[in-house]
Amino acid sequence: MSPSLDDARALDAADPLRGYRERFILPEGVIYLDGNSLGAAPVAVRDRVERAVVDEWARGLVRSWNAADWIGAPARIGAKIAPLIGAAPGEVIVADSTSVNLFKLLAAALRRQRPRRVILTEPGNFPTDLYVAQGLADLLTDAELRVRPAAELAGALDADTAVVMLSHVHYRTGARHDLAAITAAAHAAGALMLWDLSHSAGAIAVDLGAAGADLAVGCGYKYLNGGPGAPAWLYVAGRLQGELASPLTGWMGHADPFAFAGDYRPAAGLARFLAGTPPIVSMAALETGVDLFAGVDMAALETKSQRLQSLFIALVEDRCAGHGLVLGTPREPARRGSHVSFAHPDAWPVMQALIERGVIGDFRAPDLLRCGFTPLYLGYEDVWHAVEALRQVLETGTWRAPRFQERLRVT
Ligand SMILES: Cc1ncc(COP(=O)(O)O)c(C=O)c1O
């Protein structure tokens, strides 16, 4: 028999992270299972953005580049993200989008690794990762994107492999790669390793330093709660920073941007991976989200994430049995990220009906109900009620109503 509502409440009462929930704005009547797509808004963000707009921009005007240290925001926020992923403060910088950061780091890796010319990845990787790598290979003409199933990656590493690019946690299935083992295999073959941590940073414990990882990128708007379209971040191991050159040689990456010199000279450290002027209002929102992690024990965060997911899986498989749901995520906690997917032939209308009941997850084509578990603001009782809502949607068949059939632009 699966856990009861009282069991879930007892787990909440003993939860060391319970206090963090109050720091987020969560609408009444909503159970939010999509923080892996867009994190919830921190309570403090309204004041912080207002300060950025009214005090710093409207009153401070251009003086705020120095007075409010706008210019330092990319490195300052990067240094706050660093401990969440096992990086040193000067190894992470906030810039651009994850797609653009992938482009910059892949191009830099290919250039450093010449005459090696292959980017190795797996099929079904997040589309932007594949598209950016394809576009780069086309642009460079001598480079190649090689796509091999995960189980064949180790065997596909050869003297041509310049860089291996993988998502640590798969965006559809939530399956987690062994970051340290794959990094070691890439290094043994002379390749660099680039991790996309979009579905890991801020949700599970990651230790890039211990793994000796080379490169990483990730989103600011998911578990870091930076707001829609928040700036992304990138990581380059300190030992490599002097050897990698950005292909987007914008003025913010120059050694001395305000010398306005005619020739490009890269900044000494990671600042060389900046291109243009940072979006300060968005940076202010992101910093508020990242600041919420100060003092959070990432191991405790991951433990809670795994317990929330295990409870969800147990409840769905028991209380929603017989409705055609098939678990699409590994059962073993250590092999999972922070979201769980169930396949269902009518996943789209089922999710729409669930959302109408206030339980917000998402749908990933062709047939996945995807639910994210953000340990800072979700509780075990939320999980219990979410599954009860799903049970009712399936039992009553409300999802068959015509209004749930129409596919929206964003799923
Ligand atoms: C693994 C992964 N990489 C990258 C992205 C998105 O990149 P961007 O912020 O450039 O749209 C996502 C978005 O969901 C993602 O899941």
Side-chain angles (χ1 to χ4, degrees), residues 97-100 126 128-129 167 169 171 196 198-199 219 221-222:
S97 62
T98 305
S99 304
V100 173
F126 189 76
T128 213
D129 301 54
S167 292
V169 172
Y171 80 103
D196 184 336
S198 292
H199 286 276
C219 297
Y221 49 76
K222 298 179 185 291

Side-chain angles (χ1 to χ4, degrees), residues 79-277:
K80 292 178 179 181
I81 295 173
L84 311 185
I85 52 174
E91 291 183 322
V92 181
I93 201 156
V94 170
D96 304 311
S97 62
T98 305
S99 304
V100 173
N101 288 337
L102 277 165
F103 179 86
K104 292 186 292 190
L105 291 188
L106 284 174
L110 283 170
R111 179 143 49 160
R112 178 198 187 256
Q113 294 287 87
R114 277 189 186 131
R116 291 169 179 254
R117 42 176 290 282
V118 170
I119 301 169
L120 181 62
T121 192
E122 63 174 327
N125 200 349
F126 189 76
T128 213
D129 301 54
L130 294 172
Y131 302 163
V132 165
Q134 280 164 12
L136 184 61
D138 288 348
L139 179 72
L140 297 178
T141 62
D142 63 337
E144 180 193 326
L145 175 63
R146 215 169 268 173
V147 184
R148 296 286 181 274
E152 295 170 25
L153 284 173
L157 284 161
D158 63 20
D160 258 356
T161 314
V163 55
V164 182
M165 171 190 71
L166 289 173
S167 292
H168 182 216
V169 172
H170 197 277
Y171 80 103
R172 300 180 85 251
T173 64
R176 183 197 319 196
H177 279 301
D178 184 335
L179 187 141
I182 296 178
T183 301
H187 288 174
L192 292 176
M193 185 70 222
L194 192 167
W195 289 104
D196 184 336
L197 300 182
S198 292
H199 286 276
S200 316
I204 58 175
V206 178
D207 199 339
L208 292 175
D214 305 302
L215 310 167
V217 295
C219 297
Y221 49 76
K222 298 179 185 291
Y223 296 105
L224 298 183
N225 308 304
W233 55 267
L234 64 85
Y235 156 92
V236 178
R239 65 180 184 284
L240 285 172
Q241 288 179 9
E243 295 177 33
L244 295 182
S246 174
L248 295 180
T249 47
W251 73 306
M252 283 291 154
H254 192 278
D256 188 0
F258 290 88
F260 297 101
D263 291 324
Y264 178 77
R265 194 160 47 86
L270 202 49
R272 65 180 53 186
F273 281 99
L274 299 178
T277 307

Side-chain angles (χ1 to χ4, degrees), residues 315-333:
L315 288 171
V316 170
E317 292 191 330
D318 180 21
R319 297 173 59 81
C320 305
H323 289 291
L325 290 167
V326 178
L327 181 65
T329 299
R331 246 171 235 289
E332 196 189 320

Side-chain angles (χ1 to χ4, degrees), residues 31-116:
I31 297 176
Y32 193 52
L33 303 183
D34 215 0
N36 53 312
S37 182
L38 173 65
V43 171
V45 77
R46 193 194 301 248
D47 282 353
R48 180 66 190 90
V49 169
E50 187 174 306
R51 193 149 47 86
V53 172
V54 177
D55 297 348
E56 300 175 6
W57 175 18
R59 296 204 187 100
L61 292 166
V62 74
R63 293 170 290 191
S64 290
W65 282 106
N66 292 306
D69 194 28
W70 284 353
I71 197 69
R76 184 179 69 243
I77 306 171
K80 292 178 179 181
I81 295 173
L84 311 185
I85 52 174
E91 291 183 322
V92 181
I93 201 156
V94 170
D96 304 311
S97 62
T98 305
S99 304
V100 173
N101 288 337
L102 277 165
F103 179 86
K104 292 186 292 190
L105 291 188
L106 284 174
L110 283 170
R111 179 143 49 160
R112 178 198 187 256
Q113 294 287 87
R114 277 189 186 131
R116 291 169 179 254

